[in-house]
Amino acid sequence: MTIREASHAGSWYTDHGPTLSKQLGGWLGQVTEPVDGIGNIPQSGARVIIAPHAGYSYSGPAAAWAYKSLDISKAKRVFLLGPSHHLYLSTCALSKHTHYSTPMGNLTLDVSTITTLRSTGEFKDMSASSDSSEHSLEMHLPYIYHILSQSFTSGQLPPLVPILVGSTNSSTEKSFGSLLAPYLADTSNIFVISSDFCHWGSRFSYTYYLPSSTSDPAKGLSLKSREQPRDPPIYDSIARIDKLAMQGIESGQHDAFLATLQDTGNTVCGRHPIGVIMAAIEVLKKEGAISEEKGIFHFLRYERSSEVVEARDSSVSYASAFAVV
């Protein structure tokens, strides 16, 4: 047995289990229903969510909206797809651990499923150090543990299948989407997709700005550090850019989402895991395994870490969504 320790506990979130559980429960309790344009949550069959992975002081409340919308009534397994921030990958990678630790308790990895995936020859393996340093997966573990422990007894929580997604191109995302589609078709499988949205500012090498005078992404421009446009303010432009990305996801068309990112350059860090799950949904629709109205993402919450008014400022955006499959 090998355990991945919670390397970001005590810095990105509290390492005190009871405090963490209370904090997560508080954020979940703040989610208001019915949700405008959606109604009450969770909806039956809402087995796929997109949620952020920043420090909990920034994204914890926004992530609660995604986890509140998750239907775990039939859950037997949880797939967690997150982007690689440290390990260079052009494909996807699997963990070699047997357990992932959280301050509230350990999550067991589904070694059998991981072994089956590894046997395809399509996946790399994460080293222990790469696994430990990656926050896009870890930041979801406390929420997953907390949500599951509300419906399952300790020691019998559905196991986890963490998948690290690298800098994949469109065809690679479609390939892994096809590989994961049979698992997505299984109504006992949950999929958590880890992603923040726009990383804006010179420290992210992204200062794209879309003036109010146009809705054409091609007419956007990159701002210089002292610029302070007001029509619209930069934070409103960021919201417009993120909205375009969210509309691309809501379209249900993998290529449309990628085209939106190409147009704006939006720095959605989980664009590759999102691309993989969108490609998997398209496979199920093409095969007739799910109807056309299923697999459509619905966004519940959108926030930013700060309101940027000058080009030398910065912010990161957080969005939460679910899809019924």
Side-chain angles (χ1 to χ4, degrees):
M1 182 174 78
T2 60
I3 302 174
R4 179 204 181 275
E5 298 298 333
S7 58
H8 293 75
S11 53
W12 289 51
Y13 58 98
T14 180
D15 58 1
H16 185 249
T19 300
L20 180 57
S21 181
K22 183 178 180 181
Q23 192 175 54
L24 297 174
W27 288 328
L28 289 163
Q30 291 171 10
V31 175
T32 55
E33 297 183 70
V35 179
D36 289 347
I38 293 173
N40 291 324
I41 52 174
Q43 294 184 5
S44 178
R47 298 188 291 111
V48 185
I49 60 170
I50 298 171
H53 55 237
Y56 279 0
S57 62
Y58 294 102
S59 70
W65 288 76
Y67 280 96
K68 187 81 170 186
S69 71
L70 193 58
D71 178 8
I72 61 170
S73 61
K74 298 179 181 179
K76 293 183 180 179
R77 186 180 297 105
V78 179
F79 285 78
L80 171 59
L81 279 63
S84 178
H85 289 84
H86 306 288
L87 175 65
Y88 175 75
L89 277 172
S90 59
T91 57
C92 296
L94 301 168
S95 178
K96 294 189 288 186
H97 288 296
T98 59
H99 296 77
Y100 273 8
S101 175
T102 84
M104 297 174 292
N106 291 343
L107 287 164
T108 301
L109 270 60
D110 188 341
V111 174
S112 176
T113 298
I114 292 171
T115 300
T116 299
L117 292 174
R118 185 176 286 120
S119 70
T120 65
E122 299 298 326
F123 292 86
K124 305 293 185 182
D125 280 327
M126 285 183 268
S127 66
S129 61
S130 295
D131 206 337
S132 177
S133 63
E134 184 52 63
H135 67 274
S136 76
L137 300 174
E138 180 179 337
M139 297 308 295
H140 286 276
L141 304 180
Y143 259 120
I144 291 171
Y145 187 95
H146 182 84
I147 289 291
L148 293 179
S149 64
Q150 292 180 326
S151 298
F152 300 88
T153 58
S154 179
Q156 295 184 337
L157 304 185
L160 185 71
V161 181
I163 299 175
L164 190 65
V165 183
S167 298
T168 48
N169 58 31
S170 175
S171 63
T172 301
E173 288 168 16
K174 293 182 190 304
S175 175
F176 278 95
S178 294
L179 194 156
L180 292 176
Y183 295 97
L184 182 60
D186 184 341
T187 58
S188 67
N189 287 331
I190 301 296
F191 279 76
V192 175
I193 311 302
S194 176
S195 182
D196 295 336
F197 274 67
C198 185
H199 297 61
W200 200 96
S202 57
R203 71 188 183 100
F204 300 117
S205 300
Y206 184 73
T207 57
Y208 177 86
Y209 175 79
L210 194 60
S212 293
S213 59
T214 182
S215 59
D216 181 0
K219 296 183 179 179
L221 62 146
S222 293
L223 298 178
K224 297 180 180 178
S225 63
R226 295 288 180 175
E227 291 186 274
Q228 192 175 358
R230 299 182 183 276
D231 188 24
I234 296 174
Y235 58 82
D236 276 347
S237 172
I238 295 171
R240 293 177 70 198
I241 296 164
D242 278 327
K243 183 63 175 177
L244 289 171
M246 289 186 279
Q247 288 173 341
I249 295 169
E250 289 171 331
S251 75
Q253 299 176 29
H254 178 214
D255 289 340
F257 170 56
L258 297 183
T260 298
L261 299 184
Q262 181 68 33
D263 288 342
T264 65
N266 195 345
T267 49
V268 178
C269 64
R271 58 194 177 276
H272 301 302
I274 293 172
V276 169
I277 197 66
M278 291 186 73
I281 291 169
E282 286 187 336
V283 168
L284 295 187
K285 290 186 176 182
K286 184 176 181 180
E287 294 177 346
I290 61 173
S291 59
E292 285 297 323
E293 64 267 18
K294 289 191 175 181
I296 300 298
F297 281 100
H298 304 276
F299 279 86
L300 301 147
R301 191 71 172 178
Y302 173 73
E303 300 177 5
R304 291 179 300 277
S305 61
S306 62
E307 299 290 70
V308 174
V309 294
E310 289 188 22
R312 62 181 177 179
D313 298 334
S314 64
S315 75
V316 179
S317 304
Y318 314 115
S320 288
F322 72 90
V324 173
V325 180

